[in-house]
């Protein structure tokens, strides 16, 4: 594990710098501008949450930042290194040492146990033998996975799988952690634990964390929230929380419903329909934060 | 290192068994075919190297005991004897004929007779003949006796002539067919050429060069062909090569292709099934070579298991076949086993060619898509 630095934010160095980034899929009439002239700068120890409707280009943006997808134009700098100009063999090194990924669907190797899933990332980076084994073990123990080290993914809960995935993401000590919907496949307790872990990774270990999510709890730990729509960052409108699915949504244009003198906002008419059938169920659980003040964009 | 290849192999044991079994089957067949071929090849040359003499003299153009009927007039014996460097020449009468329990039936047998001559006793001993058969008698090799179901004292037929079995013993095999001896009084009539013999067995003087004597015989005794033991053996072996090798090559080729198809298909399907895993590995920093190594390791391990199992089974079943069918001799040469080992490794490498291309073409961005 890395040294636990102080709060990490005070030196204010820029870890990630994205400039005028564009990705066009396809060409001619069927071309899709998934990301369209995006700029972004994130400091050490900062947590940035990217929100936006489905299909707005969030995953595409994250994939490019993670060096897994070549942008059409624009530059991405991680720790000052322009990764857009690198060859594939150098990108391999970027993936090993500069970024760690946390996925919605965990992406663990089913044939390996928890510890091996972490160890394999060390092996790929040139760390083998007992040292690597102990390091993988320690990374999992740090995340409270000690009783599950030898469990195969199949035998782990979603929350446990995500811990393994987080351990794998940080084990090579990258400065930048990228997470795409890390809590979407988890129940609320497990999701909460993952949010806490991601916060600690940024605030205690001084890493930079970029998260794509609809999870309102991440909003609470994020230093900044960005709204991506049609491949561009927009000023964030008023955000509301869908009382049915918990997703954060822009109030403007969202389906609404009046209930007991309050306006509720929904991500879709489907959620509104569910609410209409049994409003009491959702209002009882729903927190007052549903009506919290809007968060502004950057 | 996390033994990823091993984990992958062991995660589907049935597939591992099928793929290693495919390679083992191919190796088994190839090892067995080679061993049988070597057995035949070795036996083919054995007659030539059995007598205690250095040179064979045959009728010109018939340097092969199994197929060419060599007939030389008795007068040649004296002519050969007169060649400088020849110490002694022993006549041998021989012909491949049907030998069985009924007239004109049975098994093709190399029927020989040893007339009186300077090396009669030594030659008989070299062939494993304890005593020369008398008139109307035959000595059969174990193989022939076993084949036609005859024992000592039984009546057997060579063509239509009948003989009493005086003895059954382990005679040295003669070329393709097993050996039998008959009395030399019966031979001229049976073989149909009185005052003639088939082969001259020549010992050369101690101070003479075998090759020089060989040349001298051919030069001074017209109509003959003189061969060293090795040359005579090669003549028969060449026939084995010409007759069997193409068949052997085709059989080995088919076995190889079957083994290759099995391992290639299993490696391909297992790689495609795990294509997402390879994408994840690439995303977390695997180089193409590291990914290839995972695929290749699996293939090599399968080939090694298949090789060990296949060659062991080949050895066991070869010995079993040899016991069941004594005519089949099997010879396992380390060169053959090494070549099959190399071929198995090549097979394992070839099996990864297509899967590796699939792995090389993975877009690591897929890991972000659920
Ligand atoms: N490989 C691809 N080929 C073509 N179009 C793509 C590809 N990946 C994403 N897209 C398109 O780009 C847009 C943004 O997708 P994505 O980044 O997945 O959005 P989000 O993660 O915000 O839901 C969508 O219109 C999607 O269909
Ligand atoms: Mg997405």
């Amino acid at each position: 594990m890395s040294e636990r630095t102080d709060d990490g934010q005070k030196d204010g160095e820029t870890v990630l710098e994205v400039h005028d980034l564009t990705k066009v899929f396809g060409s001619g009439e069927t071309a899709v501008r998934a990301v369209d002239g995006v700029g972004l700068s994130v400091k050490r120890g900062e947590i940035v949450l990217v929100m936006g409707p489905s299909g707005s280009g969030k995953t595409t943006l994250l994939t490019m930042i993670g060096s897994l997808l070549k942008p059409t134009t624009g530059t991405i700098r991680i720790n000052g290194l322009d990764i857009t100009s690198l060859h594939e063999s150098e990108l391999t090194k970027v993936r090993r040492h500069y970024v760690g990924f946390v996925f919605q669907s965990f992406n663990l190797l089913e044939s390996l146990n928890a510890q091996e899933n972490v160890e394999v990332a060390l092996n790929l980076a040139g760390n083998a033998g007992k040292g690597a084994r102990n390091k993988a073990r320690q990374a999992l123990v740090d995340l409270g996975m000690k009783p599950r080290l030898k469990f195969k993914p199949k035998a782990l809960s979603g929350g446990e799988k995500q811990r393994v995935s987080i351990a794998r993401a940080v084990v090579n000590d990258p400065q930048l952690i990228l997470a795409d919907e890390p809590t979407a496949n988890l129940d609320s307790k497990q999701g909460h634990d993952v949010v806490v872990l991601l916060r600690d990774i940024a605030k205690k270990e001084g890493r930079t964390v970029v998260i794509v999510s609809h999870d309102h709890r991440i909003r609470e730990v994020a230093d900044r929230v960005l709204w991506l729509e049609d491949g561009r960052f927009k000023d964030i409108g008023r955000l509301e929380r869908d009382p049915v699915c918990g997703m954060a949504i822009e109030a403007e244009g969202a389906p609404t419903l009046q209930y007991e003198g309050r306006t509720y906002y929904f991500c879709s008419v489907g959620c509104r329909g569910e609410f209409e059938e049994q409003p009491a169920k959702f209002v009882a659980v729903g927190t007052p934060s549903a009506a919290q003040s809007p968060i502004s964009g950057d | 290192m996390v033994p990823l290849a091993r984990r992958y192999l062991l995660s589907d044991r049935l597939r591992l068994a099928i793929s290693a079994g495919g390679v083992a089957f191919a190796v088994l067949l190839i090892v067995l075919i080679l061993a049988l071929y070597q057995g035949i090849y070795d036996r083919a040359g054995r007659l030539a190297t059995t007598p205690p003499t250095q040179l064979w003299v045959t009728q010109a153009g018939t340097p092969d005991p199994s197929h060419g009927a060599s007939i030389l007039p008795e007068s040649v014996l004296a002519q050969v004897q007169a060649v400088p460097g020849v110490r002694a020449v022993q006549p041998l009468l021989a012909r491949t004929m049907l030998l069985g329990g009924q007239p004109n039936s049975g098994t093709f047998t190399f029927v020989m007779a040893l007339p009186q001559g300077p090396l009669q006793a030594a030659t008989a001993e070299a062939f494993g003949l304890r005593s020369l058969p008398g008139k109307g008698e035959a000595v059969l090799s174990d193989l022939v006796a076993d084949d036609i179901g005859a024992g000592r004292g039984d009546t057997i037929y060579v063509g239509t002539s009948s003989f009493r079995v005086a003895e059954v013993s382990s005679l040295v095999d003669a070329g393709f067919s097993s050996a039998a001896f008959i009395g030399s009084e019966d031979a001229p009539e049976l073989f149909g050429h009185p005052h003639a013999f088939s082969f001259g067995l020549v010992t050369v003087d101690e101070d003479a060069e075998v090759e020089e004597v060989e040349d001298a015989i051919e030069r001074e005794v017209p109509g003959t062909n003189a061969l060293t033991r090795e040359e005579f053996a090669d003549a028969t072996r060449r026939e084995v090569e010409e007759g069997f090798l193409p068949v052997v090559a085709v059989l080995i080729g088919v076995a190889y292709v079957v083994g290759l198809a099995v391992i290639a298909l299993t490696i391909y399907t297992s790689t495609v099934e795990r294509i997402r895993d390879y994408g994840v590995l690439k995303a977390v920093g695997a180089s193409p070579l590291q990914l290839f190594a995972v695929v290749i390791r699996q293939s090599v391990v399968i080939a090694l298991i298949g090789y060990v199992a296949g060659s062991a089974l080949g050895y066991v079943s070869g010995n079993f076949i040899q016991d069941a069918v004594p005519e089949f001799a099997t010879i396992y040469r380390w060169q053959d086993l090494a070549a099959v080992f190399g071929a198995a490794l090549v097979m394992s490498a070839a099996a990864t060619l297509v899967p590796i291309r699939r792995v090389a073409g993975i877009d690591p961005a897929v890991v972000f898509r659920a």
Side-chain angles (χ1 to χ4, degrees):
Chain A
M1 298 296 312
S2 70
E3 287 297 309
R4 307 225 156 173
T5 55
D6 35 7
D7 79 356
Q9 248 175 324
K10 69 173 180 211
D11 50 14
E13 77 195 66
T14 300
V15 169
L16 174 66
E17 242 187 309
V18 174
H19 185 69
D20 199 17
L21 195 66
T22 298
K23 180 68 191 183
V24 181
F25 289 111
S27 59
E29 296 207 339
T30 57
V32 177
R33 290 182 92 78
V35 171
D36 193 2
V38 162
L40 177 65
S41 170
V42 191
K43 290 184 168 45
R44 181 173 158 82
E46 204 180 356
I47 302 177
V48 168
L49 173 61
V50 178
M51 303 180 108
S54 172
S56 61
K58 303 182 297 294
T59 297
T60 304
L61 173 63
L62 217 53
T63 314
M64 288 191 287
I65 294 172
S67 78
L68 301 181
L69 181 69
K70 284 252 177 222
T72 308
T73 59
T75 54
I76 301 163
R77 282 175 199 280
I78 303 175
N79 290 350
L81 177 71
D82 180 2
I83 65 164
T84 47
S85 63
L86 297 180
H87 283 288
E88 182 59 33
S89 63
E90 294 162 317
L91 290 179
T92 296
K93 289 185 196 123
V94 170
R95 291 170 202 149
R96 284 174 187 168
H97 301 291
Y98 284 65
V99 289
F101 297 105
V102 179
F103 310 98
Q104 175 178 353
S105 50
F106 320 121
N107 278 326
L108 300 178
L109 307 194
E110 295 291 330
S111 307
L112 304 183
N113 66 33
Q115 188 178 321
E116 290 169 335
N117 261 286
V118 179
E119 192 183 340
V120 84
L122 286 162
N123 293 161
L124 294 173
N127 259 325
K130 222 175 156 145
R133 210 167 312 137
N134 290 337
K135 200 170 174 189
R137 193 186 135 84
Q138 193 56 48
L140 283 166
V141 170
D142 286 350
L143 299 184
M145 287 290 291
K146 191 167 182 185
R148 297 280 185 274
L149 293 173
K150 303 293 178 194
F151 281 47
K152 290 269 175 73
K154 219 184 284 175
L156 296 175
S157 73
E160 289 166 340
K161 285 187 209 176
Q162 200 57 297
R163 281 159 192 264
V164 177
S165 161
I166 290 172
R168 180 178 64 187
V170 299
V171 77
N172 278 314
D173 216 7
Q175 189 47 237
L176 180 61
I177 300 293
L178 304 173
D180 194 4
E181 315 259 9
T183 59
N185 284 1
L186 304 178
D187 67 28
S188 77
K189 162 80 175 71
Q190 295 172 336
H192 174 76
D193 293 348
V194 165
V195 171
V196 170
L197 287 177
L198 289 171
R199 186 196 61 200
D200 288 352
I201 281 171
K203 300 307 171 191
K204 292 192 178 161
E205 299 177 17
R207 301 183 206 281
T208 301
V209 181
V210 177
I211 310 173
V212 163
S213 181
H214 295 292
D215 194 327
H216 70 102
R217 286 167 308 192
I218 294 178
R219 238 165 81 198
E220 283 152 23
V221 301
D223 297 303
R224 257 191 297 162
V225 179
L226 303 176
W227 187 262
L228 194 68
E229 203 170 314
D230 294 330
R232 284 177 223 195
F233 284 137
K234 280 197 174 172
D235 279 348
I236 209 157
R238 193 158 59 87
L239 286 187
E240 290 293 346
R241 180 171 170 273
D242 182 326
V244 176
C245 66
M247 249 167 78
I249 39 169
E250 239 187 341
E252 200 185 308
T256 59
L257 188 78
Q258 297 286 329
Y259 181 72
E260 290 183 346
R262 245 174 72 186
T263 308
Y264 290 89
Y265 298 84
F266 302 92
C267 70
S268 62
V269 291
C271 275
R272 186 173 63 186
E274 249 183 88
F275 185 87
E276 269 174 321
E277 277 174 30
Q278 265 185 302
K281 181 178 158 194
F282 301 106
V283 171
V285 182
T287 59
S289 73
Q292 76 179 168
S293 57
I295 305 164
S296 54
D298 78 332
Chain B
M1 283 280 269
V2 176
L4 194 52
R6 194 197 312 162
R7 293 282 189 281
Y8 280 164
L9 285 173
L10 292 179
S11 72
D12 193 341
R13 284 163 206 238
L14 178 63
R15 176 153 49 204
L16 174 61
I18 290 172
S19 52
V23 177
F25 175 73
V27 168
L28 158 72
L29 281 180
I30 294 171
V31 164
L32 197 55
I33 290 168
L34 285 174
L36 286 167
Y37 175 75
Q38 289 302 338
I40 293 171
Y41 188 83
D42 177 74
R43 266 177 63 157
R46 216 176 287 170
L47 172 74
T49 50
T50 294
T53 48
Q54 289 96 26
L55 288 173
W56 286 79
V57 178
T58 76
Q59 184 181 356
T62 56
D64 162 41
S66 295
H67 294 96
S70 168
I71 302 171
L72 293 164
E74 263 169 8
S75 57
V76 163
L77 283 176
Q79 286 174 274
V80 171
Q81 182 67 72
V83 172
V86 171
R87 182 152 95 212
V89 53
Q90 164 69 41
L92 174 71
L93 279 69
R95 166 92 55 92
T96 301
M97 294 184 79
L98 265 185
L99 187 155
Q102 304 292 326
N104 285 325
S105 71
T107 180
F108 278 111
T109 309
F110 197 62
V111 182
M112 294 176 276
L114 263 179
Q116 284 238 306
L119 301 162
Q120 189 188 40
T123 305
E125 193 192 332
F127 270 102
L129 204 57
R130 278 188 289 257
S131 61
L132 289 167
K135 188 166 168 56
E137 287 184 340
V139 175
L140 306 188
S141 78
D142 296 331
L143 290 182
V144 176
D146 197 51
D147 208 358
I148 66 169
R152 201 179 151 149
D154 289 350
T155 298
I156 54 103
Y157 293 85
V158 180
T160 52
S161 313
S162 68
F163 294 87
R164 194 179 61 80
V165 178
E167 199 188 335
V168 173
S169 66
S170 51
L171 300 177
V172 170
D173 299 318
F176 299 113
S177 20
S178 296
F181 277 91
I182 56 168
S184 52
E185 299 94 321
D186 300 321
E189 193 195 319
L190 181 70
F191 295 154
H193 40 82
H195 313 296
F197 66 102
S198 307
F199 304 106
L201 305 171
V202 173
T203 52
V204 301
D205 287 333
E206 260 157 41
D207 53 356
E209 284 290 329
V210 173
E211 280 77 23
E212 283 171 20
V213 178
E214 183 186 355
D215 291 345
I217 292 172
E218 286 187 359
R219 202 168 48 239
E220 291 175 29
V221 188
T224 64
N225 191 186
L227 304 105
T228 63
R229 293 150 57 103
E230 294 317 316
E231 286 166 354
F232 197 49
D234 282 347
T236 318
R237 288 182 184 142
R238 197 167 65 229
E239 232 180 300
V240 174
E241 282 172 358
E242 284 167 5
F244 285 73
L245 217 43
V247 180
V248 165
V250 168
L251 290 178
I252 287 177
V254 169
Y256 194 80
V257 168
V258 169
L260 177 61
V262 173
I263 187 173
L265 276 172
T266 48
I267 291 287
Y268 180 76
T269 52
S270 77
T271 305
V272 168
E273 275 172 25
R274 295 202 172 85
I275 206 76
R276 191 178 174 86
D277 272 17
Y278 289 102
V280 171
L281 288 168
K282 196 166 183 177
V284 301
S287 67
L289 282 181
Q290 285 173 321
L291 294 181
F292 297 167
V294 175
V295 178
I296 291 169
R297 255 188 222 125
Q298 294 176 65
S299 192
V300 167
V301 168
I302 289 171
L304 289 182
I305 296 173
Y307 173 76
V308 170
S311 45
L313 278 174
Y315 185 78
V316 169
S317 55
N319 286 345
F320 177 77
I321 289 174
Q322 199 171 347
D323 284 348
V325 191
E327 284 85 345
F328 283 136
T330 49
I331 293 179
Y332 299 89
R333 301 191 313 162
W334 69 264
Q335 302 97 301
D336 291 342
L337 292 175
V340 175
F341 180 74
L345 286 184
V346 170
M347 184 189 278
S348 72
T352 63
L353 288 179
V354 177
I356 271 180
R357 291 179 123 205
R358 287 293 294 260
V359 168
I362 294 172
D363 174 7
V366 296
V367 296
F368 270 120
R369 316 274 163 195

